[in-house]
Amino acid sequence: MANEEEKEAAGRAAAKLVRDSDIVGLGTGSTAYFAVVALGERVKAGLKIMGIPTSVQTADLARSVGIPLTTLDEHPEIDITIDGADEFDPKLNLIKGGGGALTREKVIATASKKMVVVADSGKVVPTLGKFPLPVEIIAFARTVIEKKIASLGATPKLRLKPDGSPFITDNGNQILDCSFGKIEDPAALARELSDTPGIVEHGLFIGIAKMALIGRGPSVEQLNG
Ligand code: 5RP
């Protein structure tokens, strides 16, 4: 599939940016997967790094490919983080959280000297918002937050598992997927959501990513933020 080829090309290109002795933030999702696998190959070939995973799923993957792991407590400053995105605009503002890992992803991205986004070509958009914005909330506040989000112009939908029960994040919280349509001022919306009690984190990453590697067929395009 072209899409898989693009994800793999982007993930592998990003893994090449990692240097000996780096502390590396390991993203979550099907594109970050290829970066983690490629890093595992480099570790087997002698690269000395330690990874900090953005999810339980990525921690399992990293262990399975032989990447030594550490924690933010041991290494609060990360050299480079490689992670996917659900959408991004030309300024490298992102929507993340399709995989439900947005809170840890944002903590790790903002603790990093450099965040590199890896994506297939379908993720680039002129204006964010087609992808429903994931918002992690505490269950206690759900109805109040749904009303607030509706007042901001979106339709919030509780994320469910295939069995119909609420999806629960690695932090024990729920997710509202919020269809805003076009988000004309993502920074203003990000501030509004961050100021709402009960919202743990939202998937707008404003001004955090410094570089995107975008798979286009078998080749990779670089975009700088
Ligand atoms: C997980 C994320 C992912 O990075 C995002 O969903 C993109 O995933 P994929 O590479 O599978 O399209 O934010 O919370």
Side-chain angles (χ1 to χ4, degrees), residues 3-4 7 27-33 54-55 57 82-87 95-103 105 115 117-120 123 131 134 159 175 203 205:
N3 198 260
E4 288 304 295
K7 289 179 184 195
T28 296
S30 56
T31 318
Y33 165 89
T54 51
S55 63
Q57 184 192 334
I82 302 170
D83 203 349
D86 299 298
E87 267 186 5
I95 286 184
K96 285 187 52 55
L102 61 147
T103 299
E105 289 174 334
M115 180 202 188
V117 176
V118 287
D120 59 87
K123 302 289 180 60
F131 190 91
R159 189 178 296 186
I175 287 192
F205 285 46

Side-chain angles (χ1 to χ4, degrees), residues 156-179:
K157 208 168 151 205
L158 182 67
R159 189 178 296 186
L160 301 176
K161 293 196 285 194
D163 68 5
S165 63
F167 173 91
I168 303 295
T169 69
D170 287 348
N171 312 308
N173 299 311
Q174 297 181 344
I175 287 192
L176 295 174
D177 290 305
C178 306
S179 301

